């Protein structure tokens, strides 16, 4: 079961990262904040890729928790900006309101949702991360 959970998290985050990387250039016009929409999409793609690598290379509760945060934040952002038009937020985040469901948005949301649920399950059932002990001491 652990392999399946890991695979779902990595695949969901890979889909999320790919879609954001692919769409980043389309949001360069969202530039009414400190960062642009294109930069936000690059950041999401990078966060998804790093979280997927973390789960792939070092699965554990901490890795799954990081993956959950990245994926759940993606789900929240997609849903928030689909239904709410807050305009620029605190002068930092540009207005990203987009009241449509495009194929890319649905695919990204599906990947993020699968990754979030699987990462949550993974964080609950995974073996706890090992705590590094000082040299010469052995863990009990």
């Amino acid at each position: 079961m652990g392999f399946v959970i890991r695979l779902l998290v990595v695949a969901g985050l890979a889909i999320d990262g790919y879609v954001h990387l692919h769409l980043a250039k389309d949001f360069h016009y969202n530039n009414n904040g400190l960062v642009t929409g294109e930069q936000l999409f690059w950041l999401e793609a990078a966060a998804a890729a790093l979280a997927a690598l973390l789960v792939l290379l070092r699965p554990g509760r901490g890795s799954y928790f990081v993956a959950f945060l990245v994926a759940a934040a993606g789900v929240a952002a997609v849903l928030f900006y689909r239904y709410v038009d807050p305009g620029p937020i605190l002068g930092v985040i540009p207005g990203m309101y987009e009241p449509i469901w495009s194929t890319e948005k649905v695919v990204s949301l599906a990947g993020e949702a699968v990754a979030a649920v699987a990462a949550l399950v993974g964080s609950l059932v995974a073996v706890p991360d090992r705590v590094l002990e000082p040299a010469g001491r052995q863990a009990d």
Side-chain angles (χ1 to χ4, degrees):
M1 182 165 123
F3 176 76
V4 173
I5 291 171
R6 198 163 149 196
L7 181 66
L8 289 172
V9 172
V10 171
L13 288 171
I15 290 167
D16 175 31
Y18 173 79
V19 170
H20 280 85
L21 191 64
H22 176 71
L23 292 178
K25 66 187 177 314
D26 295 339
F27 287 87
H28 71 279
Y29 63 87
N30 290 58
N31 58 6
N32 54 355
L34 184 62
V35 296
T36 67
E38 182 176 16
Q39 291 166 332
L40 284 177
F41 271 57
W42 279 98
L43 288 170
E44 174 63 21
L50 289 173
L53 282 173
L54 188 61
V55 168
L56 187 64
L57 299 175
R58 193 163 174 92
R61 286 186 176 164
S63 299
Y64 282 119
F65 184 67
V66 168
F68 171 75
L69 291 177
V70 170
V75 168
V78 168
L79 294 176
F80 180 73
Y81 283 114
R82 165 56 178 89
Y83 295 108
V84 179
D85 182 7
I89 299 176
L90 301 174
V92 177
I93 299 173
M96 298 290 291
Y97 178 62
E98 189 179 48
I100 61 163
W101 284 110
S102 65
T103 302
E104 292 92 348
K105 189 184 286 189
V106 171
V107 169
S108 174
L109 179 62
E112 292 162 346
V114 166
V117 170
L120 182 60
V121 171
S123 68
L124 296 174
V125 300
V127 175
D129 295 327
R130 289 183 164 216
V131 176
L132 297 176
E133 293 291 325
R137 284 190 62 195
Q138 294 182 358
D140 292 329

